[in-house]
Amino acid sequence: MHDMRIGELAERARVSTRALRYYEEQGILHSERTPSGQRVYGESAVERVRLIQHLFSAGLASRTIAVILPCVDTGHAPPEMLSSLHTERDRITNVIADLEQARQRLDDVIELTEHPDAEHCDRVRDAAERTNAILELADQPG
Amino acid sequence: MHDMRIGELAERARVSTRALRYYEEQGILHSERTPSGQRVYGESAVERVRLIQHLFSAGLASRTIAVILPCVDTGHAPPEMLSSLHTERDRITNVIADLEQARQRLDDVIELTEHPDAEHCDRVRDAAERTNAILELADQPG
DNA sequence: CCTCACGTTGACGTCAAGGGCAAGTCGACT
DNA sequence: AGTCGACTTGCCCTTGACGTCAACGTGAGG
């Protein structure tokens, strides 16, 4: 099982030890302790820290993560948490959609810069206009 | 063209006026000014602010946004910026992948909680294992 | 002219996610 | 026994994205 201390985990998960202690402080990463108090982690901690980083880098707050991670750990959720799980799921879905849109804009710019021929310009401009139209529609207040 | 002042833009784009002034301070949102100094925005500012929000909520920093937004504005990029555009594009792609993975974990938990029958359990557990295997592989240092 | 909501800049406050330092402890090696 | 790097807690510092408050200007209506 190759248990490790905080330094090795930090190195393998590419975060600082400070960050790992912070995660523990926030209740999103747990550790065993040696009799003298040093933190000891199992192999699975590496993947867990990566997941935490992904969630952070996607804009989730530590308290949100603290709420959903235990469910991911145990593989199931108390039924009264289902709604908040759905909420977070939807939030993530929205962020993904926003990101895909932003990426599409970048792609348009890249495409236009790399292949500035007229047909491409028209196609891309049209696509941008459709995107905008969709945006407007999606935004009409009920 | 229905120009507007900062209050209306804030309302329509669902951000605070403080945020809008902050965006201007960071050079990612520009405004015309009346002779007396009040900010005036055109219709397109609404969509622009939304895009800014999306990028922020996806974890991009304001300086990153400041770099790429002008290209999105003009629709093309100086060739020497292409590589950094590609870099940002790839970064966004990675964030999307991370998010999709995180969402998949949430979906697994939701599925297991809502339909805790044995077949589903097996299927989901297998999927999780495959996911982990992929993660491990994707991470082997060159 | 007065009012009153809306606008301006400037400065300070806040909150999250850590960074960095200090002062002491642990543990492996010589 | 000494030493040296990795570890501990505690504390304050920094950065980004705003919130908030102060003190003041603007402009359309009564």
Side-chain angles (χ1 to χ4, degrees), chain A residues 24-57:
Chain A
E24 184 166 328
E25 195 180 311
Q26 301 302 305
I28 59 184
L29 176 67
H30 309 294
S31 63
E32 298 298 305
R33 297 294 185 113
T34 67
S36 69
Q38 299 203 345
R39 290 169 178 85
V40 178
Y41 304 92
E43 204 57 31
S44 62
V46 178
E47 192 206 337
R48 188 190 181 82
V49 171
R50 295 245 173 84
L51 174 59
I52 292 174
Q53 287 271 304
H54 292 163
L55 294 172
F56 268 125
S57 89

Side-chain angles (χ1 to χ4, degrees), chain B residues 90-110:
Chain B
D90 293 349
R91 225 188 64 83
I92 292 177
T93 298
N94 285 335
V95 172
I96 290 176
D98 292 347
L99 277 176
E100 280 172 343
Q101 216 164 25
R103 184 177 59 178
Q104 186 56 53
R105 303 220 185 183
L106 279 187
D107 282 343
D108 292 350
V109 173
I110 290 171

Side-chain angles (χ1 to χ4, degrees), chain B residues 2-141:
Chain B
H2 183 57
D3 284 358
M4 51 196 146
R5 288 180 301 166
I6 199 170
E8 185 177 348
L9 176 57
E11 194 171 347
R12 291 183 51 189
R14 286 151 181 93
V15 299
S16 67
T17 61
R18 178 63 175 90
L20 295 179
R21 294 197 190 97
Y22 176 73
Y23 297 163
E24 184 166 328
E25 194 180 312
Q26 301 302 305
I28 59 184
L29 177 66
H30 308 294
S31 62
E32 298 298 305
R33 297 295 185 113
T34 67
S36 69
Q38 300 202 183
R39 289 169 178 83
V40 178
Y41 304 92
E43 202 60 28
S44 62
V46 178
E47 192 206 339
R48 186 190 182 83
V49 171
R50 293 244 175 84
L51 175 58
I52 291 173
Q53 287 271 303
H54 293 164
L55 294 173
F56 268 124
S57 88
L60 302 210
S62 68
R63 256 173 316 190
T64 306
I65 299 178
V67 169
I68 65 178
L69 259 190
C71 304
V72 178
D73 283 342
T74 64
H76 73 285
E80 70 270 24
M81 270 199 53
L82 265 179
S83 77
S84 72
L85 283 182
H86 275 288
T87 300
E88 276 315 310
R89 200 207 98 98
D90 293 349
R91 225 188 64 83
I92 292 177
T93 298
N94 285 335
V95 172
I96 290 176
D98 292 347
L99 277 176
E100 280 172 343
Q101 216 164 25
R103 184 177 59 178
Q104 186 56 53
R105 303 220 185 183
L106 279 187
D107 282 343
D108 292 350
V109 173
I110 290 171
E111 182 71 11
L112 270 171
T113 305
E114 286 180 346
H115 310 290
D117 35 309
E119 294 180 52
H120 274 96
C121 289
D122 288 355
R123 203 161 44 69
V124 168
R125 200 182 324 114
D126 289 358
E129 275 166 20
R130 277 198 305 280
T131 299
N132 291 350
I134 291 168
L135 272 179
E136 299 291 325
L137 279 177
D139 187 50
Q140 300 305 322

